[in-house]
């Protein structure tokens, strides 16, 4: 059969006039058609925008967790809220210290790299920072591999400099810009409290989140100054040192294939024994956080779709109301069509074509509005938004399905009219 013959099959011959008639009827009632579409437009836009906001926020957190390292375990000292609480804790635990660090290294298997950490915010800096004062991290060279830290210029300090408590510093991207602006900081000096440190490197950009993540405090990971661990302890101790833990963090990187949950459980048990269950530390397992975050994302997406689908449901009810009114308005037309030989399925098809056109048009416009809305929210609120193909296809599919479902009853009701009564309807 030729292409021309296929185009003239009975199915196409029936469908095309119905399609033209449906378009003409919608054009003849432009305002009513537009108002009918509004429910679908706003419903689809809500689905797309809400899913894009949720996807952006979740991806930001998951990227941050992945950067922490899925093979890493992090121990964070939990600071007491006041001196009274600190005294109560000190009766049970001396706080996180180097003894804990050595016990962990001796008892936890499959550790490929480890470092303790000492951090604090300096009370005085020269040059004076142009933004927030950077935080000082005292770490060992192993921190580079554990934290996936990349250097854009210079180098990181080595073990010899760490052991000798050398006065050297590596600046984070934001810290370098805040202290030296556009100038090259390599070889320059920074005065931290009363100690001068020579800048030997600048770290590349690090992902940052704006809220606490499972025990990790929110902070700008680019606004950091890395110094050798013993330099932080012996050169930069401040007046509050007696009230703080000897070290305030431990980073462990496990070997490939290591059982991370078991290692985390053993780590927690060791510290609970030595700290007598004082609850003055938090163990962060990025691998477990990532799995939990993915589960949360799936639940969040389902909830968002359910909430936004209410708008689509309202749009579907609007389509039903308008099409029922259209049935009443076109009763005589339906009677004429039935009198000249149109079957019930022809009438049903006619009305379903019109609801499908409304749903399709509303879905397309809704996707456009949703994408524009998510971009506007991202720009004005500074949030990360991601419009995924899944959200567009899902919103579009749901809108068309709801349009067809809610358009079916008016179509069946139109097809069920008595042709004789319909012809005499005024």
């Amino acid at each position: 059969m030729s292409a021309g013959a296929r185009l003239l099959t009975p199915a196409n011959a029936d469908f095309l006039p119905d399609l033209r008639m449906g378009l003409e009827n919608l054009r003849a009632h432009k305002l009513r058609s537009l108002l009918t579409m509004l429910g679908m437009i706003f419903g689809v836009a809500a689905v797309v925008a809400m899913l894009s906001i949720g996807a952006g926020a979740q991806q930001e957190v998951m990227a941050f967790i992945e950067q922490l390292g899925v093979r890493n375990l992090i121990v964070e000292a939990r600071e007491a809220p006041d001196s009274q609480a600190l005294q109560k804790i000190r009766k049970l635990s001396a706080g996180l210290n180097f003894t804990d660090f050595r016990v962990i290294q001796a008892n936890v298997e499959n550790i490929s790299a480890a470092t303790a950490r000492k951090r604090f915010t300096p009370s005085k800096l020269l040059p004076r920072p142009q933004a927030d004062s950077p935080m000082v991290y005292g770490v060992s060279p192993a921190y580079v591999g554990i934290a996936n830290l990349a250097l854009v210029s210079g180098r990181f300090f080595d073990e010899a400099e760490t052991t000798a408590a050398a006065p050297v510093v590596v600046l984070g991207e934001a810290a370098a810009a805040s202290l030296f602006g556009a100038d090259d900081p390599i070889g320059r000096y920074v005065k931290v409290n009363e100690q001068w440190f020579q800048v030997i490197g600048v770290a590349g950009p690090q992902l940052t989140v704006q809220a606490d993540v499972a025990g990790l405090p929110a902070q700008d990971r680019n606004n950091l100054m890395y110094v050798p661990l013993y330099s932080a302890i012996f050169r930069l101790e401040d007046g509050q040192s007696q009230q703080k833990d000897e070290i305030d963090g431990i980073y462990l990187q496990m070997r490939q294939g290591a059982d991370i949950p078991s290692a985390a459980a053993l780590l927690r048990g060791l510290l609970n024994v030595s700290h007598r269950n004082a609850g003055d530390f938090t163990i962060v397992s990025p691998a477990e956080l990532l799995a939990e975050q993915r589960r949360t994302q799936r639940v969040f997406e389902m909830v968002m779709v359910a909430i936004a689908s209410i708008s689509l449901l309202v749009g579907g009810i609007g389509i039903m109301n308008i099409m029922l009114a259209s049935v009443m308005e076109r009763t005589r037309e339906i009677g004429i069509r039935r009198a000249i030989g149109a079957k019930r399925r022809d009438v049903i098809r006619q009305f379903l074509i019109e609801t499908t056109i409304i749903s399709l048009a509303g879905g397309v416009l809704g996707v456009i509005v949703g994408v524009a809305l998510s971009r506007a929210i991202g720009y004005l609120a500074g949030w990360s938004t991601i419009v995924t193909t899944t959200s567009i296809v899902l919103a579009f599919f749901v809108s068309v399905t709801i349009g067809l479902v809610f358009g079916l009853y008016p179509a069946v009701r139109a097809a069920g009219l008595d042709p004789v009564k319909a012809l005499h309807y005024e």
Side-chain angles (χ1 to χ4, degrees):
M1 185 183 291
S2 67
R6 282 197 299 270
L7 288 174
L8 295 176
T9 58
N12 286 334
D14 289 342
F15 176 77
L16 291 177
D18 286 343
L19 179 61
R20 282 194 297 269
M21 188 181 300
L23 289 171
E24 289 171 3
N25 184 62
L26 294 177
R27 275 199 301 266
H29 303 88
K30 295 184 182 67
L31 181 59
R32 186 175 71 183
S33 301
L34 178 61
L35 292 175
T36 308
M37 289 179 193
L38 283 179
M40 306 307 294
I41 292 172
F42 290 132
V44 172
V47 172
V48 173
M50 293 178 77
L51 286 179
S52 70
I53 293 170
Q58 294 291 334
Q59 188 185 67
E60 188 177 86
V61 173
M62 285 199 291
F64 172 73
I65 294 172
E66 287 176 349
Q67 184 174 271
L68 292 176
V70 292
R71 291 192 291 122
N72 293 348
L73 290 172
I74 303 168
V75 182
E76 287 281 342
R78 186 180 293 166
E79 294 185 0
D82 51 53
S83 58
Q84 186 176 359
L86 179 64
Q87 289 174 2
K88 188 176 180 180
I89 289 173
R90 285 293 177 260
K91 291 178 182 178
L92 298 172
S93 167
L96 204 61
N97 51 50
F98 280 106
T99 301
D100 292 326
F101 185 50
R102 288 189 290 270
V103 168
I104 289 168
Q105 287 182 300
N107 290 277
V108 179
E109 297 180 349
N110 295 316
I111 296 176
S112 61
T115 178
R117 184 201 69 212
K118 183 69 174 178
R119 70 180 175 194
F120 69 95
T121 302
S123 57
K124 184 168 61 177
L125 272 176
L126 285 177
R128 191 178 300 277
Q130 301 301 310
D132 293 338
S133 183
M135 181 175 285
V136 175
Y137 265 32
V139 292
S140 70
Y143 182 83
V144 176
I146 295 173
N148 296 315
L149 193 67
L151 297 184
V152 293
S153 64
R155 64 179 181 86
F156 209 78
F157 41 83
D158 54 29
E159 288 289 353
E161 290 169 319
T162 301
T163 304
V168 292
V169 62
V170 175
L171 301 178
E173 183 183 52
S178 178
L179 293 170
F180 296 102
D183 297 338
D184 184 5
I186 303 298
R188 305 280 290 274
Y189 286 85
V190 178
K191 189 175 185 181
V192 184
N193 291 349
E194 302 303 324
Q195 295 285 326
W196 286 98
F197 287 79
Q198 185 179 23
V199 180
I200 61 171
V202 176
Q206 294 269 292
L207 292 175
T208 299
V209 292
Q210 303 301 318
D212 292 1
V213 177
L216 291 175
Q219 66 180 41
D220 187 352
R221 288 161 57 86
N222 295 300
N223 197 26
L224 297 176
M225 302 170 63
Y226 304 97
V227 302
L229 178 60
Y230 297 120
S231 298
I233 292 174
F234 297 132
R235 293 177 180 272
L236 298 175
E237 289 292 296
D238 55 24
Q240 303 296 318
S241 296
Q242 298 300 321
Q243 300 178 16
K244 295 182 179 178
D245 295 1
E246 185 178 21
I247 54 178
D248 50 41
I250 296 174
Y251 294 87
L252 305 174
Q253 185 174 74
M254 311 305 292
R255 290 191 177 92
Q256 191 75 36
D259 189 344
I260 305 296
S262 296
L266 175 59
L267 182 59
R268 186 174 291 106
L270 289 171
L271 291 176
N272 277 332
V273 170
S274 62
H275 289 233
R276 299 168 66 186
N277 294 311
D280 57 347
F281 66 89
T282 302
I283 295 177
V284 179
S285 173
E288 294 176 358
L289 283 180
L290 192 60
E292 181 63 29
Q293 197 69 30
R294 284 174 176 157
R295 286 193 293 270
T296 302
Q297 183 180 19
R298 287 194 291 270
V299 173
F300 179 83
E301 286 178 350
M302 285 168 30
V303 171
M304 289 298 99
V305 169
I307 293 172
S309 294
I310 295 173
S311 299
L312 287 172
L313 187 64
V314 173
I317 293 172
I319 288 178
M320 179 184 286
N321 287 336
I322 294 298
M323 295 311 294
L324 285 172
S326 180
V327 169
M328 297 296 293
E329 182 182 287
R330 297 161 62 186
T331 300
R332 188 175 178 81
E333 173 195 327
I334 294 168
I336 294 172
R337 291 195 66 191
R338 293 296 307 280
I340 61 175
K343 296 182 172 57
R344 289 191 175 207
R345 65 171 180 269
D346 298 322
V347 177
I348 291 175
R349 183 172 62 228
Q350 174 63 51
F351 279 87
L352 283 182
I353 285 174
E354 292 183 18
T355 58
T356 302
I357 293 172
I358 291 173
S359 300
L360 287 172
V364 171
L365 292 174
V367 167
I368 295 172
V369 172
V371 172
L373 186 61
S374 66
R375 297 283 169 81
I377 291 171
Y379 176 77
L380 296 174
W383 297 347
S384 174
T385 59
I386 300 173
V387 179
T388 63
T389 304
T390 303
S391 66
I392 293 175
V393 172
L394 177 65
F396 194 75
F397 173 77
V398 172
S399 72
V400 173
T401 302
I402 285 179
L404 288 173
V405 169
F406 280 88
L408 184 60
Y409 174 70
V412 171
R413 183 168 176 175
L417 292 175
D418 186 303
V420 176
K421 292 181 179 180
L423 284 171
H424 292 86
Y425 183 83
E426 295 295 337

